[in-house]
Each structure stands twice: as C-alpha cells, then as structure tokens.
Amino acid sequence: MKQELLHNYINGQATDAEIKEVMQWAHEDPANMQELEALRRINDAAIWNSDMETAASRKQKRRARIKRAVSWSVAASILLLVGFSVSFLLFGTDGENQSISVFAPVGQRTGLTLADGTLVWLNSGSRLDVHEDFNGKAREVSLDGEAYFSVTQNTGKPFIVHTSNYSIKVTGTEFNVSSYANAPEWSVALVKGQVEIYDGGSTNIVLTPNMKAEAMGGKLVTSKFSDYDAFLWREGIISFEDASFADIFSKLETYYQVTIQVEDSKLLDRHSTCKFVTADGIECILDLLLMGEGLSHDFDIDTRTVRIK
C-alpha cells in the first residue's frame, strides 16, 4: 500500500474509493492493520505536539479525525493492536521484593508483565498496585479502575486482586475486572478458568467461564455473557451492544474523567450499538454518537464538563 494513500486516509483527505481500498487492505493481514495504526499514532502525536497550530487548522484536523472515525465505525470488526506495553520485574538489585504502582493515563491504556509472567492490561484512568510481598505465599495486587488479567497458573500461590468492594482469587485464568472508585459499576467477567469472589464476610461466589458477576443493590448478581467485544478496550476500541445512552455516557465519563450534562433527559433512554476508537477523544466520539440526532455539544475544558443540547 502506498504511504501517500495511507496518509491521505489518516488525515481525512481520501476519496470514498480510496477509503474502501484502504479498509480492504487492512482486512487482508493483521500486519497491515498494525502498520496503519502505527501511522495513525504518529499522525496524532504530531497533531497534539504542534505548538504553532492555528485554531482553523485544529478545527480542520478535528473534522478529519471524525471522517476517519466514521470509516472505522463502518469497519467496526477490525481489531486495533495494543498501542504499547511496559514490562516490570518485581525484584530489587539485592533480591528484595519491591512494591510498584502502574497508572494508565486518561484516554490511554497500558500493558504490563508481572514477575510471574502474568499479563495485565490497564484501561483509561486505572491504577494497579503490586504488593511488596507479591512473591510470597500469595500474589496480591490492588486495582482501582478496569483491568484484564491473563494469570500464569500456580496452584501453590493464588493470585488475588483486591478492589474497594470485593477481592478476586484465582490460580491461573483470564478475566476482566471493572472497579473504578468514582463509578457505581462493579463487575467481573470470566473468560477462562475459575475465579472466587469474596468480601471477608458472607459473600463467596465462584464463577465459571462465560459468567459475569455485577454489584447490584449491595449484592452480587451473576449471569451468562457472550459479548466479548466488551473487552476490545485492550485494543483501543470502546464497544457498546444495545446500550442506553445513559450507560454510554456513564462509561465515557469514567474513561475520560468528564461530566456529561444532557438538556433533554429523553435522550438517556435511547439505545445504540456502536464502536469507537479511544484515541480519537471524547469530542470526536460524541460527534459520531450524536450524528443524526440534531443535537450539539460543547466542552468546558476548565471544569471538564460536556453539555449536550
């Protein structure tokens, strides 16, 4: 694929025929998608790091990002590759264990590998604290936010994730935890293996694959799930399946640490099935979500408040 065509596509300057050509090419091979995403990140970095950019050019580039995001929405089945990863070994130079904290900035995600080989993906605004005695009798971490764990199996050393509400205990498995301190939602979705959820009191629940536990009314409610697109956030995609606008806004508020105010409350009851590229930002996502609704929005950067009217 010609670099000039890819740059035109990324900057919103490609024709409809060229957009179709690029999307077909991206579908053919995961390496093609990796190349396209790498170029997109370089382009985005150039946009945000330019100190000489005028207001007019910023507006033009925002329109280009919207056009590009629309093409991503049309080809929503494409999976973007994880943008970056960070590896940590939890050993000091003298052999002593060390505690460590890892934070994923707002609107970004971070991947890391723990000393035992466990893989962890952190979603936007999430923090993972690895306990100082991680290599002791149990492998313990604390989470504020959302994370996907692929835990290395070790039946002699259980892996425990502590959150503000509950703790999750496993020996080797894959699961997603959502537990933001500033959000009312709390959930665990199990992909492989088995997990035990407990709170030190009467709550003790065991999940098997394709089961989900959610906090509702002060207790845990379990159910089956089949929507694996909910985990696409690891690859830079926010996915919603027949979700109400109220739920969509709530998740966007958490991911981007903003407050969304809606003048017409009836909008909150509408539903949508959609996918968005996380890196395109809250304003671009709202432009796409509200397209055809006859609504507008403005963003107060000082108060981080979005008003939809």
Side-chain angles (χ1 to χ4, degrees):
M1 179 65 64
K2 293 182 179 179
Q3 292 292 303
E4 182 180 358
L5 177 55
L6 293 179
H7 282 292
N8 286 343
Y9 168 79
I10 290 170
N11 288 298
Q13 298 170 350
T15 65
D16 289 343
E18 288 173 333
I19 290 175
K20 183 178 180 180
E21 181 181 350
V22 172
M23 300 314 297
Q24 289 176 339
W25 170 80
H27 272 294
E28 290 173 358
D29 191 328
N32 294 345
M33 175 55 63
Q34 185 176 14
E35 180 181 352
L36 181 61
E37 176 64 1
L39 287 173
R40 188 183 74 83
R41 283 196 170 84
I42 293 172
N43 180 77
D44 287 348
I47 291 175
W48 290 109
N49 290 329
S50 175
D51 294 329
M52 302 301 294
E53 194 171 55
T54 65
S57 65
R58 283 197 299 269
K59 186 174 181 180
Q60 181 181 6
K61 286 176 181 177
R62 185 180 168 210
R63 286 198 299 265
R65 288 164 69 86
I66 293 171
K67 182 176 180 181
R68 186 179 72 240
V70 170
S71 64
W72 281 115
S73 298
V74 171
S77 60
I78 292 181
L79 304 183
L80 303 182
L81 299 180
V82 174
F84 57 94
S85 62
V86 183
S87 297
F88 293 93
L89 293 179
L90 307 181
F91 299 102
T93 55
D94 58 357
E96 294 294 325
N97 293 345
Q98 297 178 351
S99 60
I100 192 170
S101 297
V102 184
F103 180 75
V106 174
Q108 299 183 36
R109 66 223 185 268
T110 299
L112 57 141
T113 303
L114 302 182
D116 65 338
T118 291
L119 302 178
V120 185
W121 290 263
L122 288 179
N123 205 350
S124 170
S126 299
R127 172 176 172 152
L128 184 76
D129 295 318
V130 183
H131 293 200
E132 186 174 356
D133 57 351
F134 181 82
N135 293 301
K137 295 181 179 179
R139 299 167 288 170
E140 298 187 61
V141 300
S142 295
L143 174 68
D144 176 7
E146 184 169 19
Y148 187 99
F149 295 88
S150 179
V151 179
T152 299
Q153 185 163 0
N154 185 339
T155 54
K157 289 185 177 182
F159 190 97
I160 302 174
V161 181
H162 298 287
T163 72
S164 58
N165 300 69
Y166 303 93
S167 294
I168 304 103
K169 181 179 179 181
V170 306
T171 54
T173 184
E174 286 191 29
F175 60 102
N176 191 88
V177 183
S178 182
S179 178
Y180 285 94
N182 60 347
E185 299 85 7
W186 189 97
S187 67
V188 173
L190 180 63
V191 178
K192 297 179 182 178
Q194 181 174 293
V195 302
E196 177 186 348
I197 305 171
Y198 61 94
D199 64 358
S202 59
T203 299
N204 194 303
I205 293 176
V206 175
L207 299 183
T208 54
N210 300 323
M211 285 188 68
K212 182 177 184 178
E214 298 177 271
M216 294 183 180
K219 62 179 182 180
L220 288 179
V221 177
T222 61
S223 61
K224 287 284 188 178
F225 77 90
S226 58
D227 180 21
Y228 283 83
D229 283 355
F231 311 134
L232 289 180
W233 63 261
R234 294 180 298 159
E235 291 141 19
I237 296 176
I238 308 175
S239 177
F240 299 99
E241 179 70 27
D242 192 28
S244 69
F245 273 46
D247 289 340
I248 293 174
F249 291 155
S250 177
K251 182 158 286 189
L252 293 178
E253 285 181 321
T254 300
Y255 282 3
Y256 293 100
Q257 293 186 9
V258 299
T259 299
I260 299 177
Q261 298 177 349
V262 180
E263 283 191 1
D264 185 359
S265 60
K266 293 180 181 178
L267 177 66
L268 301 177
D269 295 327
R270 298 183 190 177
H271 284 67
S272 178
T273 296
C274 48
K275 291 184 175 72
F276 303 107
V277 179
T278 310
D280 281 335
I282 182 66
E283 291 189 87
C284 181
I285 289 174
L286 289 175
D287 281 332
L288 291 169
L289 183 63
L290 300 175
M291 190 176 293
E293 296 287 346
L295 299 172
S296 63
H297 64 84
D298 55 61
F299 179 44
D300 186 330
I301 194 169
D302 293 327
T303 62
R304 298 198 61 78
T305 300
V306 179
R307 294 178 178 85
I308 299 175
K309 50 190 177 181

